[in-house]
Amino acid sequence: YMQNFPAGGEIVIFDRSWYNRAGVEYVMGFCSPDEHQRFLSLCPQIEKYIIDGGIILIKLWLEVGMEEQERRFKARIHDPLRQWKLSPMDTESYRRWYEYSRARDMMFAATSTEHAPWRIVRSDDKRRARLNCIAHILERIPYARVKREEVKLPKRSGKGHYDDQESLRGMEFVAERY
């Protein structure tokens, strides 16, 4: 999944595909029960190895409710600009809601550990979910304020003074909609 560990100060974000073996691969039958179980047993060990290497590992699960998932899927069905977001795998996942929920629960039970706990973000409201994720991440990353000299704007030179707005008269501006 990655060639080497992140360097100091570097941020690496894994999407849910890191845990596909615990979810979609298991539910859809793309892996065997033995492969699923092996992933669930190895995952906490790998995460511990990563953490022991000095990496801060933050695991966030974006939890969408059943009604919100249905609302989003229906919006995609009826919006030609968003139809591309709705694949046959998505519609099948809709049908198998409870199988996916059980797989999620098994994954949490096996991989939410003291050294790498899962944190659940309610994400029916995308904007709030994003802000809550950002706040959570920022709270977990240690940092020290860097002393900086106060920036002072220099006095603007009057050399070459002219009415710079007058020279724009007659030009076409983009409509100010916002």
Side-chain angles (χ1 to χ4, degrees), residues 1-172:
Y1 289 100
M2 63 181 176
Q3 289 181 305
N4 52 347
F5 281 166
E10 186 177 12
I11 296 173
V12 176
I13 298 174
F14 292 103
D15 65 8
R16 65 180 176 253
S17 62
W18 177 258
Y19 294 92
N20 269 358
R21 180 61 45 103
V24 67
E25 290 182 19
Y26 174 68
V27 172
M28 299 302 288
F30 300 153
C31 70
S32 70
D34 287 342
E35 290 169 326
H36 175 247
Q37 198 55 49
R38 179 171 164 73
F39 173 83
L40 292 178
S41 65
L42 285 177
C43 185
Q45 297 172 46
I46 293 167
E47 290 174 343
K48 179 84 167 91
Y49 178 75
I50 290 168
I51 292 164
D52 289 347
I55 292 173
I56 298 168
L57 179 63
I58 301 170
K59 296 181 348 189
L60 299 173
W61 179 269
L62 304 179
E63 179 69 17
V64 177
M66 187 185 296
E67 293 80 17
E68 180 60 17
Q69 183 201 44
E70 183 172 347
R71 188 194 68 72
R72 289 180 189 177
F73 280 12
K74 284 180 177 177
R76 291 173 185 170
I77 289 169
H78 300 296
D79 182 348
L81 297 177
R82 289 195 271 171
Q83 284 176 356
W84 66 270
K85 289 181 160 185
L86 200 56
S87 71
M89 287 291 290
D90 292 322
T91 55
E92 187 60 23
S93 72
Y94 176 86
R95 190 176 76 76
R96 297 182 186 214
W97 175 268
Y98 293 109
E99 291 175 66
Y100 272 94
S101 296
R102 283 189 185 91
R104 175 207 59 206
D105 295 345
M106 283 191 288
M107 182 189 70
F108 285 165
T111 67
S112 189
T113 60
E114 189 175 320
H115 59 271
W118 279 100
R119 300 290 190 235
I120 300 170
V121 180
R122 295 205 180 276
S123 58
D124 284 354
D125 182 324
K126 288 181 183 183
R127 182 176 182 274
R128 286 188 173 142
R130 287 181 187 120
L131 292 172
N132 287 329
C133 284
I134 292 167
H136 177 79
I137 291 167
L138 291 175
E139 288 171 352
R140 272 142 191 84
I141 306 296
Y143 70 96
R145 290 204 180 271
V146 176
K147 284 191 172 190
R148 298 192 173 130
E149 291 184 30
E150 184 180 341
V151 176
K152 295 181 182 178
L153 292 176
K155 185 177 178 183
R156 209 173 247 151
S157 169
K159 185 177 180 181
H161 175 77
Y162 76 107
D163 187 350
D164 64 323
Q165 294 302 298
E166 178 62 30
S167 65
L168 299 177
R169 188 181 306 269
M171 297 295 293
E172 287 195 40

